[in-house]
Amino acid sequence: GSQEIDEPTSCEVCKYFATEFQSRLDETGRSKEVIRTGHGLDPKKKKKITYHTSELRLVEAMDGICDKILEYNMHKERTGSLRFAKGQSETMETLHGLVNKGVKVDLGIPYDMWDEPSAEVTIMKSQCELMLEKHEEDIEDWYFNMQAENTLINHLCKNLVLKSNNQECLAEEWTGKETKYAKEDTEADAPTRKKSKKKKKGKKGETKTE
């Protein structure tokens, strides 16, 4: 049967965009490199730019950033925004395991399509692109002027994209067993996802989506 599509909320779109963007920046952020621009022999015409706040680093981070969303999968056994996570969901792991044991499993789609991005993830990618387009200047403003004192998730998601709308998903973190809500004062940055071998049936956190 056809599964219902539970579209990503704008909170989820912003959260995972900001998480991916931040981790892209973190990958390059340790560089203390200084870029020299300008040419000619006159040293006064040469400018020194630190890579950390250079346009180059920003452009590199933005390049194809929404494609990173396609690395996420639906983990339907999890609640709230944590249904989006990298890696195979427990359900899919189990099903692949059955197939490997020779059990016939029919999901109504060909086997080689099983691990294709789900509709929700594909939708999230295109919503990510729209958000990037709409908020490009805000992101640049944060990058050049605020990244030292504020996280992108706070500046972009809390203050600009969501404003007074539902921001609950920003505080959800994956602890390896169930959803926990991060305390307000801790930044809800990239959730750490530990693989837990024992399945604990945690209480389903009823999170309302918009």
Side-chain angles (χ1 to χ4, degrees):
S2 66
Q3 291 183 317
E4 256 183 62
I5 294 171
D6 190 1
E7 290 207 9
T9 63
S10 45
C11 183
E12 289 171 332
V13 175
C14 196
K15 173 181 183 169
Y16 290 113
F17 164 74
T19 300
E20 286 305 317
F21 194 75
Q22 193 76 58
S23 80
R24 269 269 180 96
L25 288 177
D26 292 347
E27 280 165 24
T28 57
R30 285 181 287 282
S31 169
K32 293 276 181 276
E33 216 178 321
V34 173
I35 301 165
R36 289 181 169 70
T37 62
H39 51 270
L41 299 169
D42 184 353
K44 287 196 196 78
K45 288 207 177 109
K46 284 201 166 84
K47 274 207 312 199
K48 279 186 193 176
I49 299 169
T50 57
Y51 180 68
H52 200 81
T53 50
S54 70
E55 198 146 340
L56 177 67
R57 180 175 175 234
L58 176 66
V59 169
E60 284 175 348
M62 274 197 182
D63 182 39
I65 188 69
C66 291
D67 293 343
K68 300 287 281 178
I69 298 294
L70 296 176
E71 293 174 15
Y72 285 78
N73 286 311
M74 292 301 291
H75 293 237
K76 296 216 191 258
E77 65 276 2
R78 300 181 181 183
T79 54
S81 64
L82 303 169
R83 63 203 179 105
F84 291 102
K86 291 183 177 178
Q88 246 179 27
S89 69
E90 287 177 24
T91 316
M92 287 314 276
E93 269 179 27
T94 309
L95 293 174
H96 277 292
L98 289 172
V99 170
N100 294 340
K101 288 188 185 118
V103 180
K104 270 187 86 67
V105 180
D106 182 15
L107 291 186
I109 52 171
Y111 183 67
D112 55 5
M113 296 281 288
W114 278 21
D115 297 317
E116 288 293 300
S118 66
E120 288 90 343
V121 170
T122 313
I123 291 166
M124 185 152 79
K125 176 188 184 264
S126 55
Q127 287 184 357
C128 169
E129 280 162 352
L130 290 171
M131 196 183 70
L132 186 56
E133 223 169 274
K134 189 174 166 191
H135 290 282
E136 195 162 349
E137 283 176 10
D138 298 320
I139 295 163
E140 286 174 7
D141 185 31
W142 169 82
Y143 175 82
F144 290 117
N145 306 311
M146 296 174 227
Q147 61 167 315
E149 68 270 5
N150 204 351
T151 61
L152 183 60
I153 238 171
N154 274 336
H155 176 66
L156 180 67
C157 304
K158 279 191 176 168
N159 305 341
L160 297 170
V161 173
L162 300 168
K163 295 187 186 105
S164 56
N165 293 333
N166 190 344
Q167 306 185 356
E168 211 171 43
C169 91
L170 299 179
E172 292 168 350
E173 288 182 356
W174 181 243
T175 59
K177 295 179 200 69
E178 55 253 313
T179 307
K180 81 175 172 73
Y181 292 92
K183 286 188 217 53
E184 263 312 308
D185 54 357
T186 59
E187 286 153 11
D189 277 351
T192 47
R193 300 197 181 82
K194 294 192 187 70
K195 282 194 91 55
S196 67
K197 284 281 169 280
K198 284 200 287 290
K199 268 203 261 180
K200 263 230 186 101
K201 285 276 175 280
K203 281 206 267 313
K204 284 265 184 286
E206 265 81 44
T207 46
K208 295 292 294 166
T209 48
E210 294 144 63

